[in-house]
Amino acid sequence: MIKKKFFITIEGCDGSGKTTHCLFLKKYIKQKCYDVMLTREPGGTICSEVIRKILLDPKFNLVPLTELFLYEAARAQHVKEVIIPSLNLNKVVICDRFFDTTIAYQGYGRKLDLKFIDKLNSIASYGIIPDLTIYFDIESSYGIDIARKSNSKYKNFGDRMERESIEFYNNVRKGYLINAKKNSKRIKIVKVKKTIVSTQKLVKKIVDMVL
Ligand code: TMP
């Protein structure tokens, strides 16, 4: 078993298929004999999963600042309790969403101040920065349609976030692309292909370059 401290985050709009790709990535990295673990945001700890439930429940009409603080609170707990200890054990950690989501969704989607978000992101992450981020890019209206239909809990309507307008999701996507351009060394863009296998090929190529 190869021990290597390496932090990978996976990003994309709802419906981009990133959760499926996370599972594939974990298997692929394991095949390469690395000690690997997969976690997610919001979530990954008992407390952060409870916060996740509040964040995604359509019955809560959260104002943007409450939403932002809850995502950051879930992150602070998750980073301290799971991510940092796993990295300290020299594991490859894959996280389904991380602070780039907050920039795209709360920054470009909700229009909250980007500098303020950067500050909170850095505090809640205890200063850790992913070694690699893979962003799955998909046309927003197509992605959100898939997300709503495949959400087993809130079928056809989607969770609180997935109920947002196409305009919101267009802004989120724009935010992701601007942020990826600004951090082009760390963030690699994968255009989602028609078949899972052809998208996975692109993922393998990126991972093979770093691991
Ligand atoms: P998921 O269902 O892809 O795990 O993500 C849950 C939702 O939370 C998704 O719509 C994106 C949103 N989200 C934010 O808006 N800001 C954040 O910081 C995070 C981590 C997720």
Side-chain angles (χ1 to χ4, degrees):
M1 181 83 70
I2 307 169
K3 290 276 191 181
K4 186 177 164 97
K5 182 189 238 173
F6 202 80
F7 186 28
I8 304 175
T9 58
I10 305 299
E11 294 286 350
C13 284
D14 293 275
S16 59
K18 65 179 177 47
T19 304
T20 309
H21 291 300
C22 279
L23 292 171
F24 165 77
L25 194 60
K26 184 183 172 194
K27 209 170 137 194
Y28 186 61
I29 293 175
K30 207 171 168 191
Q31 271 170 17
K32 284 174 161 268
C33 289
Y34 285 90
D35 191 359
V36 58
M37 65 91 68
L38 170 63
T39 185
R40 70 170 179 182
E41 289 207 350
T45 72
I46 295 173
C47 160
S48 309
E49 289 291 336
V50 172
I51 298 174
R52 177 187 176 94
K53 283 208 175 97
I54 298 172
L55 278 162
L56 300 185
D57 190 334
K59 83 167 175 268
F60 295 117
N61 185 16
L62 303 180
V63 298
L65 260 189
T66 308
E67 182 182 284
L68 171 66
F69 289 141
L70 285 176
Y71 279 116
E72 299 291 4
R75 175 164 305 134
Q77 187 67 30
H78 183 221
V79 171
K80 191 80 172 172
E81 197 180 317
V82 173
I83 297 182
I84 291 178
S86 303
L87 289 171
N88 285 344
L89 288 171
N90 292 322
K91 286 178 192 253
V92 175
V93 175
I94 305 167
C95 191
D96 185 343
R97 296 197 181 282
F98 199 55
F99 59 37
D100 295 299
T101 307
T102 321
I103 294 170
Y105 279 70
Q106 280 66 51
Y108 288 85
R110 299 284 188 228
K111 311 272 184 222
L112 292 174
D113 185 70
L114 289 171
K115 282 205 178 105
F116 180 54
I117 291 176
D118 273 347
K119 183 92 191 142
L120 285 185
N121 274 346
S122 148
I123 293 170
S125 310
Y126 297 84
I128 63 164
I129 297 171
D131 297 294
L132 167 71
T133 298
I134 303 176
Y135 162 62
F136 289 95
D137 187 53
I138 190 172
E139 220 259 295
S140 333
S141 54
Y142 182 64
I144 194 58
D145 198 42
I146 298 175
R148 285 179 190 147
K149 281 185 182 142
S150 58
N151 189 320
S152 52
K153 194 160 178 200
Y154 305 108
K155 211 163 172 54
N156 289 326
F157 293 103
D159 60 34
R160 195 183 61 82
M161 299 302 290
E162 291 161 352
R163 289 175 195 214
E164 277 304 329
S165 63
I166 295 298
E167 195 197 347
F168 173 86
Y169 276 99
N170 283 339
N171 288 333
V172 168
R173 184 184 184 202
K174 202 167 93 189
Y176 265 129
L177 290 168
I178 293 171
N179 189 41
K181 213 170 173 185
K182 274 193 209 158
N183 297 281
S184 58
K185 249 186 122 175
R186 171 175 66 87
I187 306 178
K188 305 295 170 211
I189 302 174
V190 167
K191 297 254 172 226
V192 174
K193 301 277 174 204
K194 283 214 172 74
T195 66
I196 291 185
V197 176
S198 37
T199 310
Q200 284 171 350
K201 263 192 197 154
L202 300 175
V203 174
K204 278 188 193 170
K205 224 172 161 182
I206 293 170
V207 172
D208 288 345
M209 283 194 308
V210 292
L211 287 177

